[in-house]
Amino acid sequence: MSYAPDGQQYQPYRPEGQQPQQPHGDQYGRPSYGQQQPYESRGGYQPPYGQQPPYGQQDPYGQEPEHEPRRRSRVKRWVIAGVSVLALAGIAAGVMTYYEIPPFTDKGAAVSFGKPPAGGAKKGDTPQQPASSKMLMPTGPAADFKNSMTLPDGTHVAVTTLDGKKSGFKGKVWVWAPKEYNDPKFAKSGFPVMIALPGGAGYPSNYWMGTDLGLQTSIAKWYTEGKSKPFILAMPVLNPEPDDKGIYWDGSDIPGQPKMGTWLTEDVPDLMKANFRTVKSRDGWAFMGSSTGGFAGLKAVLKHPDKFKAVIASGPDIVPDSSLWKGHDKEKAENNPEILAKQLIDRKGPDVYLAFQVGDSENNKKTLPDVQKFIATFGNKGPVHTDLRIIKGGQHNAKTYVPNMGEGPIQFISKVMEGPVE
């Protein structure tokens, strides 16, 4: 039996207007008087001669009763096709969003932080502020920031390429400001800055700029909970090139190498001062970092206590150990946190606040004992204030360190820092 839609039997094609021969009926295809065609032969109900078909039934005289079911079938097919097109469009939009293909993403769009003064400002103008203000207005020139990602609260992680005037190094810096920065309530306030340094390669990116680790959302949350200052984040690359051969630069000015110490402690802060309302004094400047980045931040605060007040160092090295220091013992000693801490104690200040956190399951079994030895030797003596959080089951990775920052270290440094300030 041939297939016909909706369970009907197949009817042979008839040219339009042509009727089959009826040997025992009249020219209209009616059965002879007293005869009745069976229901199955017409595909539908056939009333006796002389009677009208029931309401809703087509007059079967020379017409195909299956037209209505076929119309329903066509509508059904169109509905299915429409739903399929919409589903495919939704999938395509999702794919384009995931792979950040315009217009389904704002990645790459220009980003500016803060509101311009009323009536606008001419390029190069520096807004005036009272000399007694603790806040430093953006000094300019404005950097070319492009959106890297947009967070659920509408804030942006943006990126720019910084041509370091003091270090001579050119590299990427990612920045983020909490939503309070654009709140009219804080329009005349300077915000504290935290320079966040990665471990590992630290090039060509800085893993703190990704939202998967939750650093930005954590700071926003901690601020609402009263645990943290509303830090602006600066997230620069740590190294000048890949360290795929086990080479790294210790965040320092190693002779004959790119001046990464100057890049981190001079050029990156200058970028933040040029583009954000910041805190004039060192009370609004801090570092954080993990592993090698923890070492670099620790060393930066001890080496430049006049510029930076605090650091959160997670799973850090305590002494410089890059192979690039070979033949440069004097310069290596000048970047050794143990020597720098002793010098700071001897000259009695200024005060610095060093928050350490280390997992008890770190792959380098020396990390925790080395940190404990440093604290026993220099901690809480004179101007060197220390705090240690040992993370139970904690490993040597950023996913361990971020949530545990909110369990002590962020409070430890936030208590002694300033911002927002006017």
Side-chain angles (χ1 to χ4, degrees):
M1 181 183 295
S2 299
Y3 172 78
D6 301 326
Q8 300 172 56
Q9 293 185 7
Y10 174 76
Q11 297 290 332
Y13 170 75
R14 298 170 184 155
E16 187 176 353
Q18 181 177 327
Q19 300 298 328
Q21 295 297 321
Q22 298 290 343
H24 302 293
D26 64 17
Q27 60 178 337
Y28 297 109
R30 296 186 180 92
S32 300
Y33 182 76
Q35 294 183 358
Q36 182 176 331
Q37 285 184 297
Y39 177 87
E40 291 84 358
S41 67
R42 297 293 297 166
Y45 172 76
Q46 298 295 323
Y49 180 72
Q51 295 184 16
Q52 294 298 320
Y55 180 76
Q57 293 280 347
Q58 285 189 333
D59 186 346
Y61 301 157
Q63 297 188 28
E64 292 294 320
E66 61 265 34
H67 285 184
E68 183 63 29
R70 286 180 178 174
R71 278 196 294 272
R72 288 198 301 269
S73 180
R74 283 198 297 272
V75 170
K76 183 178 180 182
R77 286 197 296 270
W78 276 109
V79 170
I80 292 173
V83 171
S84 299
V85 169
L86 290 174
L88 289 172
I91 292 171
V95 170
M96 295 176 79
T97 301
Y98 180 81
Y99 287 103
E100 299 172 332
I101 302 172
F104 296 93
T105 178
D106 57 359
K107 183 175 182 179
V111 175
S112 60
F113 294 90
K115 305 296 183 185
K122 295 180 181 179
K123 188 174 182 180
D125 283 355
T126 301
Q128 298 297 313
Q129 64 184 67
S132 59
S133 174
K134 292 184 177 182
M135 181 262 288
L136 178 66
M137 289 293 291
T139 60
D144 181 24
F145 287 113
K146 299 297 184 184
N147 191 36
S148 179
M149 62 189 67
T150 301
L151 277 63
D153 65 358
T155 57
H156 302 284
V157 176
V159 63
T160 191
T161 299
L162 172 62
D163 190 353
K165 304 302 180 188
K166 296 176 180 176
S167 67
F169 174 70
K170 186 176 183 179
K172 288 184 177 181
V173 181
W174 288 263
V175 299
W176 173 80
K179 66 179 188 295
E180 287 77 17
Y181 187 81
N182 285 324
D183 188 333
K185 175 183 173 184
F186 297 107
K188 297 181 180 180
S189 299
F191 280 67
V193 176
M194 178 180 285
I195 301 173
L197 304 179
Y203 182 93
S205 63
N206 177 325
Y207 53 62
W208 297 118
M209 59 81 179
T211 56
D212 56 327
L213 295 174
L215 177 60
Q216 293 85 5
T217 53
S218 294
I219 287 175
K221 175 176 175 287
W222 295 332
Y223 175 62
T224 62
E225 294 173 346
K227 295 179 178 180
S228 173
K229 297 294 185 183
F231 291 102
I232 299 172
L233 291 179
M235 299 164 278
V237 295
L238 178 61
N239 290 330
E241 58 187 77
D243 66 347
D244 53 1
K245 295 180 180 178
I247 297 173
Y248 46 94
W249 284 256
D250 272 339
S252 304
D253 290 359
I254 301 175
Q257 299 293 327
K259 296 181 177 181
M260 300 313 292
T262 300
W263 157 261
L264 296 175
T265 61
E266 297 282 347
D267 290 329
V268 172
D270 285 350
L271 171 72
M272 304 307 288
K273 292 174 185 176
N275 290 275
F276 294 89
R277 302 186 308 275
T278 56
V279 180
K280 280 183 180 179
S281 74
R282 74 188 192 104
D283 294 333
W285 294 85
F287 276 88
M288 69 149 282
S290 58
S291 192
T292 300
F295 164 82
L298 172 66
K299 186 259 301 185
V301 171
L302 290 168
K303 190 175 178 69
H304 303 284
D306 56 324
K307 297 179 181 178
F308 308 101
K309 192 172 188 178
V311 61
I312 297 176
S314 303
D317 302 322
I318 291 297
V319 297
D321 59 0
S322 170
S323 61
L324 297 172
W325 288 114
K326 187 176 181 179
H328 306 290
D329 291 342
K330 176 179 176 295
E331 292 83 1
K332 183 177 180 180
E334 292 170 352
N335 288 274
N336 187 327
E338 293 180 336
I339 295 174
L340 292 168
K342 183 178 184 306
Q343 291 174 344
L344 187 60
I345 292 170
D346 289 345
R347 64 176 184 265
K348 300 181 179 180
D351 292 274
V352 293
Y353 296 81
L354 317 176
F356 295 93
Q357 57 174 359
V358 184
D360 61 8
S361 297
E362 303 243 353
N363 52 0
N364 185 349
K365 301 305 179 184
K366 287 189 60 186
T367 301
L368 181 55
D370 286 350
V371 170
Q372 290 173 322
K373 178 184 175 184
F374 178 90
I375 292 174
T377 305
F378 307 106
N380 301 315
K381 295 181 180 178
V384 179
H385 307 273
T386 59
D387 182 70
L388 172 61
R389 174 172 173 76
I390 299 175
I391 305 168
K392 282 198 127 188
Q395 299 180 341
H396 190 75
N397 57 56
K399 289 186 177 180
T400 290
Y401 300 140
V402 172
N404 282 281
M405 280 175 57
E407 300 302 318
I410 198 72
Q411 294 97 319
F412 181 76
I413 69 167
S414 292
K415 286 177 182 178
V416 298
M417 297 192 69
E418 289 194 346
V421 294
E422 294 187 9

